[in-house]
Amino acid sequence: MTGFRSSVVYQIYPKSFYDSNGDGVGDLRGVIEKIPYIASLGVDHVWFNPFFPSPGRDNGYDISDYCAIDPAMGTMEDFEELVEALGAHGIGVMLDMVLNHTSTEHEWFRKALAGDERYQRYYYLRDPKPDGSLPTNWVSKFGGPAWEPFGDTGKYYLHLFDRTQADLDWHNPDVREEAARVVNFWRSKGVRGFRFDVINLIGKPEALLDAPEGTDDRAMYTDGPDVHTYLQWLSEQSFGQDADSITVGEMSSTSIQACIGYSNPANHELSMVFNFHHLKVDYEDGQKWTLKDFDLAALKRLLGEWALGMQEGGGWNALFWNNHDQPRALDRFGNVDEYRYESATMLASAIHLLRGTPFVYMGEEIGMSDPAYTSIDDYVDVEARNAYAELLAEGRTPQEAFRIVHRKARDNSRTPMAWDASATAGFTTGTPWLRPTGQEAVNVEREEREGSILPYYRKLISLRHELPLIAEGAYAPWEQDNPDVLAYTRTHEGDRLLVLCNLRGTDSEVTLPEGLETAEVLIANHADADAWVAAHRAVRPRPSALPLRPYEAIALLERAEPAA
C-alpha cells in the first residue's frame, strides 16, 4: 500500500458486486472470488459500502449493529479472510462508518424507546413547540419532515434521512465513546481505512432552531464548529494511532474552508474529503429531481475552485465522478451511444490526473452506464420511490415523473456488476436483487478480451504510482474561459503536465501554454495522439492551439532539463 496521495481507491457496493451462493445478493465470498480481478486493476485500497446488519431501508446505511456482518453478506470469518486475501496483494480495506445515525432497529434506539434514559440521551429527542407543531421546520433529505413521534412519549426524534434512521447526539460523551469503540473494533480486525458517512452533520447545535423563512435548513446543522473537535478526538482515540491509516469524510453541503480544516494534516482530523458540488451542475435551481443539461462552465469553475482552494489551504480532495449515490457519470457528462469509449476515458483522465486521490466506482472502469428501466417498479431505492410519489403529488404526469427519476436515481449505479453477457450479467445464478441491463455490450469478459476502457484505467492508475508529478504536483487551471475544454497543469520539480479534456461531442481546440513545443504525449484516448500532435507541430512549429476531437483527452508532459 502506498501513501494516500499516490493511492487509488476502488469502491465496491457489496450487494451488487458478485453473488457466490445464488440468492441474488452480492456477498463477501463473492468479493473474495473476484480478488484477482481487483488486484489486476492496480488499486491500493477497496472501500466497501456497509455490510453490517441492517433492516435495509436505506440499502445498508441504516445500521442495526456496527460490529457484526449481515448474514446475507457472510460471516466474520469471511471478512477476516477477505482482509487477509486483499492484504496479500498489498490492498487495504476501507470500511464505511455511518456514525451520524443508527437504524431505529439498533439496540440503542430500542432501549431508548423502552424508557432507558441513558440511551434516550443518545438521540435528539425534543418536545413539540407550545402550539403542538414539530420541534423545528427542518426537512428530511429523503422528503417530508425531519421529525417522527418517539413512541407514545409525546416527544419527537430527529432523522435527517429516512424516518428509520435516528440521528445520534454527539454532544453526549457516551455517543463519542461508542463511535471510537466501533472504529477500534474494526482496527483490531486489521482495517486501516475508514470512510465516514455524512460526518459533517455530527456537529449540530445543542439548541435546535427553525431555519429562518426563505433560508435553507441545512445551514442550521451542517459544518458546525464541533465537527472539528469531534473528529480530532476520534482520530486521537482510534485511527490516528495508525501511521498507515487512510480516512475520508463524506461532506454534505459543505464549503472549501470547512474541508481545508477537515483534511489539513496539521489538524489531525481526516486524510481527505468528498464534496458533491460538481455533481449538482445538472440540478435546476439546486434541486435534484429536475431535468437539465449539465452546466460545463459551472463544472469547470467548481473543479478549479476546489482544486486551488484545497491546495492553498493544505487540504486534500477525494476525486470521483461516480459512487453508489449518483447516477452514472457517463450518462450525465458523456455520450454512451456514439462515444462510450471516448467519454469514459476522457472523464477518467480528468479526475485521475488531478490533484487529489481518485476513487473508481465498480463498473466505471468498463464503461457501465445507467440501466434501461421503463417503470418505477424497476427501482428499489426508497429515495427514488419517494421522489416519484412527490413528483406525482406536484402534478407531474407518470411519464414526466419517471423521466426525472430515471435520470437521477441512486439505483442507476447500484445495478449488478456486469461480469459477462448472460441474462444475470454473470453476477448470480439466481434472480438479481436489482435487474441488470446493457451487459450484452458492456461487461468485464468482453473488456478483458477486446476492450479499451479497462486498459486505459489500468494505465492511469499505474501512472499515479509511477510519477510524483501526478501524486504530488501543484495544480493550476488553464483556459478557464474555454467553453468546451477542461484544461489544467500539474508541476513538480521542473516537470510540467498539461491535461486537456474536451467535454463536448463536437470538435474544439485549446490554446497551448508557452514551453510545450517538445512535450511528449503521456497518455491519450486516441491511439493516433502522437501523430496528431506531431502533424500539428509540423504545420506550426510553435503551436498556439491544438484541435481536439469529440471527448478527446490528451496529457502532454514536458520533462525538466536533466542536471548538467
Side-chain angles (χ1 to χ4, degrees):
M1 289 178 283
T2 60
F4 70 85
R5 293 189 174 215
S6 54
S7 289
V8 178
V9 182
Y10 188 66
Q11 182 189 352
I12 288 178
Y13 192 72
K15 191 175 182 179
S16 298
F17 193 62
Y18 186 63
D19 170 23
S20 71
N21 61 7
D23 66 357
V25 177
D27 47 51
L28 298 186
R29 295 228 62 84
V31 177
I32 292 170
E33 289 187 34
K34 295 297 185 180
I35 285 178
Y37 171 76
I38 298 167
S40 78
L41 300 175
V43 297
D44 305 282
H45 304 271
V46 176
W47 158 27
F48 293 95
N49 292 101
F51 44 66
F52 315 114
S54 165
R57 280 284 298 177
D58 188 21
N59 276 279
Y61 282 85
D62 48 328
I63 294 172
S64 56
D65 187 343
Y66 287 108
C67 297
I69 306 296
D70 189 320
M73 293 286 172
T75 66
M76 189 62 74
E77 290 73 24
D78 292 333
F79 176 75
E80 291 165 351
E81 181 181 340
L82 175 62
V83 173
E84 184 176 354
L86 284 170
H89 291 276
I91 300 172
V93 169
M94 176 181 285
L95 295 188
D96 218 321
M97 297 285 100
V98 187
L99 302 176
N100 174 71
H101 48 262
T102 72
S103 167
T104 53
E105 295 296 311
H106 196 287
E107 180 185 25
W108 302 340
F109 193 85
R110 292 204 310 269
K111 286 183 175 180
L113 203 55
D116 191 321
E117 292 183 1
R118 176 176 182 240
Y119 289 98
Q120 288 180 352
R121 290 191 291 272
Y122 275 37
Y123 298 94
Y124 284 94
L125 305 183
R126 296 291 187 270
D127 292 317
K129 292 175 183 170
D131 64 2
S133 61
L134 296 175
T136 72
N137 61 356
W138 298 358
V139 177
S140 162
K141 293 174 184 288
F142 287 175
W147 296 94
E148 191 75 10
F150 183 63
D152 58 3
T153 65
K155 294 180 180 293
Y156 291 84
Y157 68 90
L158 176 68
H159 63 92
L160 291 180
F161 295 88
D162 187 71
R163 62 183 178 80
T164 64
Q165 293 167 293
D167 281 58
L168 288 164
D169 186 349
W170 275 65
H171 294 285
N172 183 345
D174 289 343
V175 169
R176 301 196 295 273
E177 291 286 351
E178 297 277 16
R181 276 195 287 272
V182 169
V183 175
N184 287 330
F185 173 84
W186 294 108
R187 286 177 62 228
S188 74
K189 299 289 184 182
V191 176
R192 294 294 178 267
F194 297 96
R195 180 261 191 191
F196 294 98
D197 185 64
V198 293
I199 198 65
N200 63 328
L201 304 185
I202 63 172
K204 306 171 192 70
E206 288 193 79
L208 306 182
L209 304 175
D210 276 348
E213 188 174 351
T215 65
D216 191 331
D217 63 348
R218 289 174 293 187
M220 306 302 293
Y221 56 75
T222 303
D223 285 329
D226 287 335
V227 179
H228 296 289
T229 303
Y230 296 154
L231 284 176
Q232 289 163 10
W233 182 90
L234 186 62
S235 172
E236 181 183 310
Q237 299 296 316
S238 59
F239 59 82
Q241 299 172 24
D242 301 320
D244 58 346
S245 75
I246 176 171
T247 54
V248 56
E250 181 197 32
M251 302 302 167
S252 172
S253 304
T254 192
S255 68
I256 293 173
Q257 197 57 43
C259 286
I260 288 170
Y262 299 137
S263 62
N264 188 311
N267 290 350
H268 304 287
E269 297 181 34
L270 302 170
S271 305
M272 66 190 96
V273 292
F274 287 119
N275 87 84
F276 297 89
H277 296 288
H278 66 296
L279 294 180
K280 297 179 180 181
V281 296
D282 55 357
Y283 289 18
E284 187 73 52
D285 297 325
Q287 300 301 309
K288 174 177 178 175
W289 301 105
T290 55
L291 292 180
K292 175 190 171 184
D293 290 336
F294 82 95
D295 184 336
L296 176 52
L299 178 65
K300 289 180 55 174
R301 176 179 56 78
L302 287 162
L303 289 174
E305 286 177 355
W306 276 85
L308 273 180
M310 294 291 274
Q311 176 174 272
E312 291 168 358
W316 195 256
N317 283 313
L319 307 169
F320 70 107
W321 289 117
N322 297 278
N323 70 21
H324 62 289
D325 279 338
Q326 301 290 329
R328 294 279 183 179
L330 199 51
D331 295 80
R332 300 174 76 174
F333 307 117
N335 182 328
V336 296
D337 297 320
E338 299 176 68
Y339 296 103
R340 183 185 296 268
Y341 161 75
E342 292 86 354
S343 299
T345 50
M346 179 276 295
L347 289 169
S349 301
I351 287 295
H352 281 255
L353 301 176
L354 201 56
R355 181 185 183 273
T357 297
F359 283 63
V360 178
Y361 180 68
M362 62 179 224
E364 169 187 340
E365 76 277 13
I366 61 170
M368 285 181 66
S369 52
D370 289 345
Y373 289 165
T374 56
S375 165
I376 191 63
D377 294 332
D378 287 320
Y379 286 100
V380 173
D381 185 36
V382 60
E383 184 192 42
R385 287 178 170 270
N386 287 352
Y388 180 77
E390 289 188 8
L391 288 165
L392 292 179
E394 291 170 6
R396 306 273 188 168
T397 67
Q399 294 78 12
E400 290 172 330
F402 179 74
R403 193 160 56 247
I404 294 169
V405 170
H406 185 235
R407 180 84 69 87
K408 298 294 181 69
R410 301 190 299 180
D411 275 349
N412 287 359
S413 62
R414 297 174 179 179
T415 53
M417 181 74 173
W419 296 103
D420 63 32
S422 66
T424 62
F427 162 71
T428 181
T429 57
T431 302
W433 74 276
L434 190 63
R435 184 168 64 89
T437 70
Q439 68 271 19
E440 299 84 4
V442 178
N443 60 72
V444 172
E445 189 178 85
R446 182 172 181 176
E447 271 294 307
E448 292 280 23
R449 184 177 67 248
E450 61 187 50
S452 46
I453 299 175
L454 182 56
Y456 195 90
Y457 266 83
R458 286 174 171 148
K459 184 173 182 180
L460 281 171
I461 291 167
S462 178
L463 284 173
R464 178 164 286 267
H465 295 151
E466 294 168 8
L467 295 181
L469 169 64
I470 297 173
E472 302 285 350
Y475 162 90
W478 179 253
E479 274 213 350
Q480 274 290 77
D481 293 333
N482 190 306
D484 306 320
V485 179
L486 172 69
Y488 58 86
T489 62
R490 305 291 308 283
T491 53
H492 182 72
E493 296 182 351
D495 291 343
R496 180 166 54 152
L497 185 70
L498 175 66
V499 180
L500 307 174
C501 297
N502 183 7
L503 279 112
R504 300 287 193 198
T506 53
D507 291 336
S508 189
E509 70 172 21
V510 63
T511 303
L512 298 180
E514 292 285 335
L516 283 167
E517 289 82 2
T518 60
E520 62 184 270
V521 176
L522 177 67
I523 188 170
N525 65 355
H526 280 264
D528 66 347
D530 289 285
W532 179 263
V533 173
H536 188 62
R537 283 177 175 147
V539 175
R540 297 181 181 177
R542 295 181 61 82
S544 60
L546 181 69
L548 294 175
R549 291 160 285 193
Y551 302 108
E552 183 162 20
I554 299 179
L556 297 172
L557 174 61
E558 183 78 14
R559 297 187 185 273
E561 292 291 334

